[in-house]
Amino acid sequence: MLEYLVCCFDLILHFLRKPANRWGAFIALPIVVVIALLLPTLLYALLSQAVLLLLMAYLRPMWIVEFMHWTNLRKNDYTVKYQTVGDFTFCYAEKGVSSPNQASIVFFHGLSATKDMWFPMVTAIPADRHVILLDMPGHGDSTQRSDDSYSFVDQASRIAQFFIAVGLKPFHLVGISMGGGVAVAYAGLFPKDVAVLSLLCPAGLPGHEASEYLRDVGRGLIKVDRGKLPINATEQHKAFAYVFHAQKGTTVARLYSWFAFEVLRPRQVMHCKVTKDLEEDVNSKVLLDYLPRIRSPTQVLWGKHDRLVHISGADVLKSALPDCEVHVLPKCGHTITYDRPFRAVKLILEFGNKK
């Protein structure tokens, strides 16, 4: 430390030997001294934090995820709550209180995700709105049982019991991917509960083209498990190209791919079970029976570059619901919450407010 300070002092003297620099030195000297004193401490703090994060990620990546989730909850004034209905417990994050003058907004997340996937988007929702982010059955901190059914319809029926328990209806329902398919089933089963429906690249719609991801899985270009999820970090890295929309010439760092796979790996068996149940609904074209029953104003958001769920699903919805409002988002893939979060939430709020 002493040798470091001597070097800094010598540099200052060398600078002051030039008369033209002396006046500037009166202003710069205090700043240089402060930086010289603080820089070693700052470097040590940053280095120790980096080492700590890498160590935590290697030992248990979920620790970092849980810390990030806790930070998001605190920063955005959300409270994690639990509601038990019979032998099933729902976990959800809530902000604000319901109002008879404005519909609450409820979010259903996608397969293998949790309620926390919504934070890049919901930070833009006004502070006076009541919002619920639900951990879907079999996901997050909601009950996970291998003997339950996780089809679109069965998830919707179970979630209806949650809304009865918390006394919330009607509301603005937002669902993405798997959550979008469940939202379709819910709005068809319980049309009076849904004031407004927003579907973000919903999965499970029969009649649309197979996605690029599923076609490449069929060709063996990506090795997946029974739940059609990557079997290792290398395959996870390949899969990220289908999930996010990356600008030309950019790629996801392999460290993130490894991290994501390690976080998802403990729940692979559960996710395989959920996928199996969902596929049964897709194969039997169940959601086609529920689309005509939807009575709420409906909007559809789809990423123009979605490689995971084919954009032709928007045409299926438009055919079944002629009055629905469709938005195709440029520079956006399947993960609308990450690729275009603020554009999406702006469209969702505007649509809800005018209905």
Side-chain angles (χ1 to χ4, degrees):
M1 180 69 175
L2 181 60
E3 184 179 357
Y4 172 79
L5 292 174
V6 170
C7 291
C8 291
F9 185 69
D10 183 65
L11 181 64
I12 293 169
L13 290 178
H14 177 76
F15 178 80
L16 291 174
R17 288 192 186 103
K18 297 181 179 180
N21 292 334
R22 287 173 185 166
W23 283 109
F26 282 110
I27 299 173
L29 186 59
I31 299 174
V32 172
V33 170
V34 170
I35 292 174
L37 291 172
L38 293 181
L39 190 57
T41 304
L42 290 173
L43 287 174
Y44 175 79
L46 289 172
L47 183 61
S48 61
Q49 289 296 317
V51 171
L52 179 62
L53 287 174
L54 286 172
L55 186 62
M56 288 172 63
Y58 182 75
L59 293 176
R60 192 181 176 193
M62 200 62 198
W63 290 352
I64 294 180
V65 173
E66 289 171 355
F67 175 75
M68 291 168 61
H69 291 173
W70 176 82
T71 302
N72 283 327
L73 289 164
R74 292 289 300 273
K75 184 171 63 175
N76 296 289
D77 296 323
Y78 280 82
T79 303
V80 174
K81 299 181 178 181
Y82 296 86
Q83 179 65 53
T84 299
V85 181
D87 61 349
F88 195 95
T89 298
F90 289 94
C91 178
Y92 63 103
E94 183 177 29
K95 184 193 75 168
V97 293
S98 60
S99 167
N101 302 319
Q102 206 168 35
S104 302
I105 310 177
V106 179
F107 291 85
F108 289 177
H109 64 73
L111 176 67
S112 79
T114 69
K115 60 185 178 298
D116 302 279
M117 74 165 290
W118 293 107
F119 277 114
M121 178 185 288
V122 298
T123 54
I125 295 178
D128 62 341
R129 296 300 299 267
H130 179 228
V131 179
I132 285 182
L133 314 177
L134 182 67
D135 270 341
M136 301 293 280
H139 292 75
D141 292 320
S142 289
T143 297
Q144 301 180 30
R145 288 194 297 252
S146 60
D147 56 344
D148 283 345
S149 172
Y150 297 97
S151 68
F152 294 111
V153 176
D154 288 335
Q155 285 196 59
S157 299
R158 188 178 291 279
I159 291 170
Q161 301 304 310
F162 165 78
F163 289 125
I164 292 173
V166 298
L168 184 65
K169 59 179 76 170
F171 46 81
H172 183 168
L173 179 57
V174 183
I176 187 170
S177 197
M178 177 197 76
V182 176
V184 167
Y186 190 96
L189 281 167
F190 310 101
K192 293 182 179 180
D193 290 4
V194 182
V196 183
L197 180 62
S198 295
L199 302 173
L200 284 58
C201 49
L205 298 172
H208 66 77
E209 296 180 36
S211 70
E212 190 175 345
Y213 177 78
L214 291 178
R215 291 200 303 267
D216 286 352
V217 165
R219 294 171 186 154
L221 299 180
I222 303 174
K223 297 176 182 177
V224 297
D225 57 23
R226 289 180 293 112
K228 292 187 170 58
L229 297 174
I231 61 171
N232 55 42
T234 300
E235 301 304 314
Q236 182 72 57
H237 186 69
K238 295 178 187 177
F240 268 155
Y242 299 82
V243 178
F244 301 98
H245 174 65
Q247 298 295 332
K248 188 175 181 179
T250 61
T251 57
V252 177
R254 287 189 176 275
L255 178 62
Y256 295 142
S257 303
W258 171 84
F259 184 82
F261 178 75
E262 290 299 318
V263 168
L264 293 173
R265 182 163 61 171
R267 295 181 174 177
Q268 271 185 314
V269 174
M270 191 70 242
H271 294 157
C272 285
K273 162 63 176 170
V274 175
T275 302
K276 176 179 175 293
D277 292 345
L278 295 174
E279 284 184 335
E280 290 177 2
D281 271 6
V282 173
N283 294 335
S284 57
K285 302 181 179 181
V286 166
L287 292 185
L288 278 183
D289 297 333
Y290 294 92
L291 283 171
R293 305 181 194 178
I294 295 175
R295 296 291 176 264
S296 55
T298 302
Q299 76 171 161
V300 179
L301 276 63
W302 220 296
K304 183 178 180 179
H305 306 283
D306 193 333
R307 302 173 68 191
L308 203 63
V309 179
H310 200 277
I311 193 172
S312 58
D315 297 328
V316 175
L317 289 167
K318 189 66 177 175
S319 297
L321 305 168
D323 295 330
C324 76
E325 185 177 291
V326 178
H327 297 272
V328 177
L329 305 181
K331 298 180 181 178
C332 183
H334 187 67
T335 49
I336 294 174
T337 52
Y338 292 93
D339 290 339
R340 299 297 302 275
F342 300 119
R343 176 60 177 160
V345 79
K346 182 176 184 293
L347 291 170
I348 290 169
L349 291 173
E350 288 176 351
F351 186 75
N353 290 338
K354 71 183 180 182
K355 299 302 178 181

